Amino acid sequence: MNYSGIINCSIVDGTGFRVSLFVSGCKHCCVGCHNPESWDFNNGKPYTKEVEEVLFDRLSNEHIKGLTITGGDPLYSAD
């Protein structure tokens, strides 16, 4: 899986201050999509153990209320 970005402190991707992970890949290709660059499964960088550690570190900040996984389509499997 690739990801196209991480937002450290988002106020638009859910309730409260959140960390947002943008995964790559989407087959829906919706008209009006605000993130069409995320459709390509090869976009961005590989999601690695090191990236996961960065996410958990950012989630440990007491003002962060959760993680939003977005994209692309985070529930779509390229396999």
Side-chain angles (χ1 to χ4, degrees):
M1 176 179 89
N2 281 2
Y3 74 102
S4 58
I6 298 172
I7 305 295
N8 295 329
C9 187
S10 173
I11 59 170
V12 297
D13 292 317
T15 305
F17 297 113
R18 305 180 70 78
V19 174
S20 294
L21 172 68
F22 289 82
V23 299
S24 297
C26 183
K27 294 288 186 182
H28 301 292
C29 303
C30 298
V31 174
C33 174
H34 72 277
N35 205 12
E37 64 275 4
S38 68
W39 296 351
D40 183 355
F41 286 91
N42 296 313
N43 183 45
K45 302 174 187 173
Y47 183 86
T48 63
K49 183 69 174 166
E50 290 77 20
V51 174
E52 188 172 284
E53 290 171 2
V54 167
L55 281 176
F56 281 113
D57 180 60
R58 293 175 182 174
L59 287 166
S60 70
N61 291 316
E62 65 181 53
H63 68 279
I64 297 295
K65 299 302 179 202
L67 172 67
T68 298
I69 303 173
T70 188
D73 183 349
L75 300 178
Y76 187 88
S77 172
D79 299 349

